[in-house]
Amino acid sequence: MAARVPAMVLTKPKTLEAREFARPAIGADDGLLRIEACGICGSDYEQYEGAQPQHEDYTPYPVIPGHEPLGIIEEIGANARQRWGVRGGDRVAMRSGYGCGRCEACARWEPRLCAKRGGTYGYTDVNKTPHLWGGYAEHMYLSPHSVMKKVDPRIPAGVAVMFNPLAAGLSWAVGVPRTGPGDRVVILGAGQRGLCCVIAAREAGARQIVVTGLGRDAQKLALARELGAHATVDVEARDVVEAVREATGGGAEVIVDTTPYAPQSLNHAVAMAVRKGRIVVAGLKGLRAANDFPVDDVIYKELTIRGVLSMPVDETFRAVEYIESRPRVFERMHTASLPLDQAEAAIQALAGH
């Protein structure tokens, strides 16, 4: 087995470098994951661009990015095997957070709420031993207090790795806004998370689902309709608020904003919402502010606005089980797989460049 592990390191904004690190020695409490695939999302692009606040919740430099890894357990200690319920050779979907193992949140397998803030894969300083803390690598170190779920090895990696966006869809489009059969749902953005929000809203029985996107998103919008959206809107061809109001007959009870780098979408969401509506804000805006935000409309309509950064562990587990039960739904959402040394090209493609 190789003594060195290749990885892509983000040394500063817009600079990814190929490096190698020593393969870590695995003890009784930890493990080593051989990466099969690592999903990317808008936060990867913002991390690459440097468009995130520089504090402990976000990116240090240098860092190995990649917070959506899927892989095979290549080495595992005896204690870790018992704690995680997996064995060497198992394929697993990884939660991005790892905890301290001593607080109440870690006891509930919720490392994202860890009181001592264990850390996040893809957002941990590469200088922290044993260095391999992200999915943009051939192997990733598994902290003792990682959270993972076994995944059917027969499913193609490019499909199985959709567990993270689907978990987001289940949480953001249904769990957080408490979407029910009587609700009209508008999803701003037709990326993977937007499409997964369509799947989740449909499963929740939403009576109407509308998805918005750009002109270049024509194929994604067509797929959104196949997945269950009742209508789609090209925001470059029509006034988005007017089009959504027309499609929904006046507005929606639930609006999920997944659009990256589009701060004015929050203004649109407020305008689209009916009284007592629930707005979920998931798309990071690259530190850009929404201009002329209609605060009075939030008050008069008695709106609820909720920001979301991740999703509960239960939704991750549900997402894996959903994909295992109907993998064909996700085959068309996987558009490309790129090798490790083309990570920068993958990020640029995600951003539409």
Side-chain angles (χ1 to χ4, degrees), residues 63-79:
V63 64
I64 299 174
H67 59 279
E68 302 181 18
L70 172 88
I72 305 296
I73 300 287
E74 190 157 289
E75 291 186 56
I76 187 170
N79 296 341

Side-chain angles (χ1 to χ4, degrees), residues 133-183:
W133 295 100
Y136 288 18
E138 289 191 0
H139 290 82
M140 190 177 83
Y141 172 72
L142 299 179
S143 169
H145 301 289
S146 301
V147 178
M148 63 195 71
K149 182 170 175 62
K150 285 196 287 189
V151 182
D152 188 339
R154 296 170 295 181
I155 299 173
V159 172
V161 80
M162 295 288 176
F163 71 89
N164 189 287
L166 179 58
L170 294 169
S171 179
W172 302 348
V174 178
V176 170
R178 305 179 309 282
T179 300
D183 289 328

Side-chain angles (χ1 to χ4, degrees), residues 206-249:
R207 66 182 168 108
Q208 192 172 29
I209 303 169
V210 180
V211 182
T212 72
L214 302 172
R216 70 183 187 220
D217 296 331
Q219 289 183 312
K220 298 177 184 178
L221 293 174
L223 181 54
R225 293 190 293 272
E226 291 181 30
L227 292 172
H230 299 86
T232 56
V233 176
D234 178 347
V235 302
E236 295 176 319
R238 293 196 60 186
D239 178 276
V240 64
V241 174
E242 177 183 302
V244 166
R245 283 177 172 168
E246 179 181 310
T248 56

Side-chain angles (χ1 to χ4, degrees), residues 74-158:
E74 190 157 289
E75 291 186 56
I76 187 170
N79 296 341
R81 185 167 57 245
Q82 183 175 8
R83 183 186 308 114
W84 299 336
V86 300
R87 296 178 175 275
D90 285 345
R91 172 194 262 181
V92 295
M94 296 297 304
R95 288 278 292 176
S96 58
Y98 57 90
C100 69
R102 296 182 296 276
C103 67
E104 183 181 343
C106 287
R108 301 195 309 270
W109 297 97
E110 283 286 11
R112 71 192 181 111
L113 303 176
C114 175
K116 297 187 181 299
R117 307 192 61 79
T120 303
Y121 292 116
Y123 289 87
T124 298
D125 190 329
V126 77
N127 294 311
K128 178 181 176 180
T129 305
H131 314 298
L132 297 170
W133 295 100
Y136 288 18
E138 289 191 0
H139 290 82
M140 190 177 83
Y141 172 72
L142 299 179
S143 169
H145 301 289
S146 301
V147 178
M148 63 195 71
K149 182 170 175 62
K150 285 196 287 189
V151 182
D152 188 339
R154 296 170 295 181
I155 299 173

